[in-house]
């Protein structure tokens, strides 16, 4: 609540929290009401994207049993970037800024990674196969993005602002467009805690406990892909949230996914909105994009968790 309040109150012109609350409950023609209305969509976007990225990171780390797992490991970020660049090159910069330009590429890239990682339509995905397939697909798509962007300067100018990641300047209605994807992804994720706990023991032990590992990985991959794709489509490929937040949560809540996933859904928005507010404060009257600030804000907490020896899976 405090992070959301500060996100609405702080900017080039600061509005006291009391006036923010009053303007939100009783909007009128005052300056405070106009400021609250203009910043509300940005705050909602931060809440959705922060929760989506953090939960997606926790699910991917659980599925791959890889402490370095984040939404980019399944090729989601690379797929969204390639899709945005291709749409911008074919239909123009306006079409490239739409969430519909990013989501198809992210979903297709993740599906290809999972298909390759499972060794075929009837194969079984393993953590190592998924990680290697994600690295290969990401490398190919990154090369495609560079080739198209460098060949067309107009595409490059549009892409270089999107790829940093920002809560500002997003098209009207973005929150409504990504909300269904985030909601479905969170529902899938909240069905998985006990399965992810069993999977952490290893495939053989999980199978002995009655877990169908293939189905769990497919459902987990679908959940993480929906969450990460919608977040990347909405705010760009903001890094570090999906990697750091799960480790910070493990430092005080442990590795039980029944607690890990809900705490990630709460702390992800805190990190993203806190970084956005800081970016607006240090560069007034302009701002620093949240994708740049996030690592500076989150790194000290991740380092503290590592030094306490409580990070990891």
């Amino acid at each position: 609540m405090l992070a959301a309040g500060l996100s609405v109150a702080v900017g080039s012109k600061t509005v006291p929290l009391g006036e923010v609350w009053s303007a939100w409950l009783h909007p009128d023609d005052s300056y405070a009401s106009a400021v609250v209305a203009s910043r509300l969509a940005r705050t909602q976007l931060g809440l959705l994207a922060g929760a989506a990225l953090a939960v997606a990171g926790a699910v991917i780390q659980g599925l791959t049993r890889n402490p370095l797992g984040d939404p980019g490991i399944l090729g989601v970020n690379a797929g969204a970037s390639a899709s945005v660049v291709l749409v911008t090159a074919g239909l123009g910069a306006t079409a490239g800024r739409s969430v519909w330009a990013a989501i198809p590429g992210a979903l297709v890239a993740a599906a290809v990674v999972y298909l390759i990682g499972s060794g075929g339509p009837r194969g079984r995905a393993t953590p190592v196969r998924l990680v290697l397939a994600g690295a290969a697909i990401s490398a190919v798509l990154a090369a495609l993005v560079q080739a198209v962007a460098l060949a067309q300067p107009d595409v490059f100018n549009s892409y270089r602002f999107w790829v940093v990641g920002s809560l500002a300047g997003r098209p009207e209605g973005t929150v409504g467009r990504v909300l269904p994807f985030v909601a479905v992804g969170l529902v899938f994720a909240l069905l998985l805690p006990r399965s992810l706990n069993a999977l952490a023991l290893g495939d053989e032990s999980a199978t002995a406990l009655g877990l169908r590992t293939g189905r769990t990985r497919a459902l987990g991959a679908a959940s993480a892909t929906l969450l990460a794709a919608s977040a990347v489509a909405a705010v760009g490929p903001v890094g570090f949230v999906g990697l750091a937040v799960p480790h910070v949560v493990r430092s005080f809540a442990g590795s039980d996914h029944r607690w890990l996933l809900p705490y990630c859904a709460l702390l992800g928005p805190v990190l993203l909105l806190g970084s956005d507010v800081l970016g607006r404060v240090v560069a007034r009257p302009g701002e620093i994009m949240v994708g740049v600030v996030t690592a500076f804000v989150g790194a000290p907490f991740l380092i503290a968790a590592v030094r306490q020896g409580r990070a990891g899976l």
Side-chain angles (χ1 to χ4, degrees):
M1 289 291 292
L2 179 60
L6 290 175
S7 177
V8 176
V10 178
S12 56
K13 294 290 184 181
T14 299
V15 179
L17 285 174
E19 294 186 21
V20 169
W21 184 255
S22 177
W24 183 53
L25 292 178
H26 307 289
D28 51 28
D29 296 331
S30 65
Y31 170 76
S33 292
V35 171
V36 169
S38 66
R39 295 175 182 167
L40 203 54
R42 180 174 183 156
T43 302
Q44 292 170 340
L45 205 55
L47 292 171
L48 282 177
L53 289 171
V55 173
V59 171
I60 291 173
Q61 290 173 11
L63 288 177
T64 61
R65 300 200 296 274
N66 183 348
L68 297 179
D70 74 352
I73 203 171
L74 293 181
V76 174
N77 292 352
S81 299
S83 185
V84 165
V85 165
L86 292 176
V87 171
T88 303
L91 302 177
T94 301
R97 286 195 292 268
S98 168
V99 296
W100 303 117
I103 286 180
L107 296 177
V108 170
V112 172
V113 167
Y114 189 82
L115 189 62
I116 296 175
S118 63
R122 296 184 179 180
R124 188 180 66 175
T126 65
V128 174
R129 284 180 176 177
L130 288 174
V131 172
L132 292 177
I137 294 299
S138 296
V140 171
L141 293 175
L144 173 64
V145 167
Q146 290 185 3
V148 176
L150 292 176
Q152 300 188 35
D154 292 341
V155 174
F156 176 75
N157 287 334
S158 177
Y159 171 72
R160 68 192 179 97
F161 287 106
W162 176 84
V163 76
V164 175
S166 174
L167 299 181
R170 297 307 176 189
E172 186 178 356
T174 298
V175 172
R177 294 188 185 97
V178 300
L179 180 59
F181 295 95
V182 175
V184 173
L186 288 176
V187 169
F188 281 0
L190 294 177
L191 295 175
L192 289 173
R194 294 183 185 277
S195 299
L196 291 175
N197 287 341
L199 207 57
L201 302 174
D203 283 15
E204 293 183 359
S205 298
T207 302
L209 292 173
L211 180 70
R212 297 172 64 178
T213 57
R215 188 178 66 175
T216 297
R217 285 207 169 88
L219 185 59
S223 167
T225 300
L226 282 174
L227 291 170
S230 54
V232 172
V235 302
V238 175
F240 206 72
V241 177
L243 171 65
V245 172
H247 288 297
V248 173
V249 171
R250 286 189 190 95
S251 68
F252 63 86
S255 298
D256 189 338
H257 287 83
R258 291 175 298 176
W259 296 104
L260 179 64
L261 297 181
Y263 273 125
C264 283
L266 292 176
L267 288 189
V270 172
L271 174 58
L272 198 59
L273 290 176
S275 301
D276 187 48
V277 170
L278 183 61
R280 282 183 264 170
V281 170
V282 300
R284 281 178 174 172
E287 65 179 79
I288 301 174
M289 292 182 175
V290 68
V292 177
V293 183
T294 303
F296 290 101
V297 174
F301 295 98
L302 179 59
I303 293 171
V306 172
R307 287 177 62 85
Q308 291 174 3
R310 295 177 181 176
L313 299 176

